[in-house]
Amino acid sequence: MLMVSEEVREALAARRPVVALESTIIAHGLPRPRNLQVALELEDAVREEGAVPATIAVLDGRAHVGLGKEQVERVAKEDGIRKLGHRDLALAAATGASGATTVSATASLASLAGVRVLATGGLGGVHREWTVTQDESADLGLLARTRITVVCAGVKSILDVPATLQRLETLGVAVAGYRTDRFPGFYLSDSGQPVDWTLESPAQVAEVMRAQDALRGPQSALIVANPVPQEEQLDPGIHARVLADALRACEEEGVTGQAVTPFLLDHLVRHTDGASLSANLAAVRGNVRLAARIAAAWAEA
């Protein structure tokens, strides 16, 4: 049920750098046809840094680690592509479904294939009003038991960032800022929360990865929080105002459960004239390139 592309398989066998890429951004995160353009652009960025891209998705019940161009086009263009977390993988496999993978499913399949580094935009986390809804992303629990390095721009700012950091600490997931002592807020360079550890180079990140293995601790992830450059972030004042409006609209319209995140993100895109989407893409591009450099440093071990 796990199909590893020839390119990825050969790279892993030769200990060349490989970067896992989630496919939800292709199927559900961007409008057509921009989604396909961005998907191919991100793969090209990984290659430019000397690594092999392994975009992950499930097609007709088979999990693919590394997609060909036609498969990427299918994820980008086909109607009915589901959004799959790691809990959905067995169901998708058994029923022959097709779906784009979230961070949790991508991390699970990447780890199974032997890929150690994953790049994404922003992690899921603890939702606002958690004490009432008990709504928490499956990303967190999966990362607590999967040895993978995730390069991200923090967690989505629509979430409860302090609670998410507390939850990651409770779960034993290591978090380090990349050249910053502040935890980024996805669209924003600084969420307002500190991080305890700062790493300054891809080589230093790779050293932490090697230390994780040598110490034989729990099989948990390493999160490398890489802030979007300040000149490319969403204006903090606009962000605060539009997010407050989005939260009010969400409550007034009775949006709950899995519908909350896409509702809020869509509101931000529409009411910032696309500036939030630009910040999102800037973050993803930076994360992909950093992940490729980390994978290269890891492969040198």
Side-chain angles (χ1 to χ4, degrees):
M1 293 183 181
L2 183 67
M3 310 292 291
V4 181
S5 73
E6 182 178 359
E7 182 184 25
V8 172
R9 188 170 59 249
E10 290 179 352
L12 292 171
R15 287 196 57 80
R16 297 200 306 273
V18 179
V19 175
L21 302 172
E22 50 123 339
S23 52
T24 297
I25 189 173
I26 307 172
H28 302 287
L30 296 169
R32 299 172 183 171
R34 193 173 186 186
N35 58 342
L36 177 59
Q37 297 167 354
V38 170
L40 298 176
E41 175 194 338
L42 296 179
E43 289 201 343
D44 287 344
V46 172
R47 296 186 194 283
E48 288 169 7
E49 297 293 340
V52 171
T55 302
I56 295 178
V58 177
L59 297 173
D60 303 319
R62 292 188 174 186
H64 291 263
V65 178
L67 301 180
K69 185 176 180 181
E70 289 184 0
Q71 292 170 318
V72 174
E73 290 178 349
R74 182 177 170 188
V75 174
K77 296 178 178 180
E78 187 174 299
D79 293 330
I81 294 287
R82 300 178 68 118
K83 183 177 181 180
L84 304 178
H86 73 277
R87 70 168 188 168
D88 304 308
L89 293 175
L91 290 161
T95 60
S98 297
T101 53
T102 64
V103 169
S104 68
T106 303
S108 178
L109 294 172
S111 180
L112 190 60
V115 180
R116 187 64 181 267
V117 181
L118 184 159
T120 187
L123 288 182
V126 176
H127 286 248
R128 296 168 188 250
E129 304 296 331
W130 182 89
T131 54
V132 176
T133 64
Q134 300 287 291
D135 193 354
E136 174 186 312
S137 171
D139 292 356
L140 305 186
L142 190 283
L143 294 178
R145 56 183 186 272
T146 305
R147 181 57 54 80
I148 195 164
T149 296
V150 180
V151 182
C152 63
V155 299
K156 296 177 178 68
S157 55
I158 61 175
L159 303 173
D160 187 328
V161 178
T164 300
L165 287 170
Q166 290 172 4
R167 184 69 176 135
L168 287 168
E169 180 180 356
T170 299
L171 291 170
V173 179
V175 179
Y178 188 73
R179 297 179 179 173
T180 181
D181 61 359
R182 309 295 294 174
F183 191 68
F186 191 39
Y187 299 122
L188 306 176
S189 300
D190 182 357
S191 70
Q193 300 298 311
V195 290
D196 293 329
W197 296 93
T198 300
L199 300 174
E200 298 291 347
S201 68
Q204 194 171 32
V205 176
E207 282 298 317
V208 175
M209 295 164 64
R210 285 188 276 272
Q212 282 182 313
D213 292 347
L215 291 169
R216 299 179 183 273
Q219 293 293 307
S220 56
L222 168 64
I223 294 175
V224 179
N226 181 40
V228 62
Q230 286 192 359
E231 63 273 16
E232 295 184 278
Q233 72 173 341
L234 181 60
D235 179 89
I238 294 175
H239 174 271
R241 174 177 55 78
V242 175
L243 178 56
D245 291 342
L247 291 168
R248 279 194 297 272
C250 189
E251 183 176 358
E252 289 170 358
E253 296 184 28
V255 179
T256 60
Q258 289 185 337
V260 170
T261 294
F263 177 90
L264 294 176
L265 294 179
D266 178 67
H267 188 100
L268 282 166
V269 171
R270 288 186 291 107
H271 292 271
T272 61
D273 294 325
S276 65
L277 181 58
S278 297
N280 179 357
L281 292 176
V284 174
R285 292 183 184 106
N287 294 342
V288 163
R289 290 190 177 276
L290 176 57
R293 293 166 191 160
I294 291 169
W298 168 249
E300 292 173 0

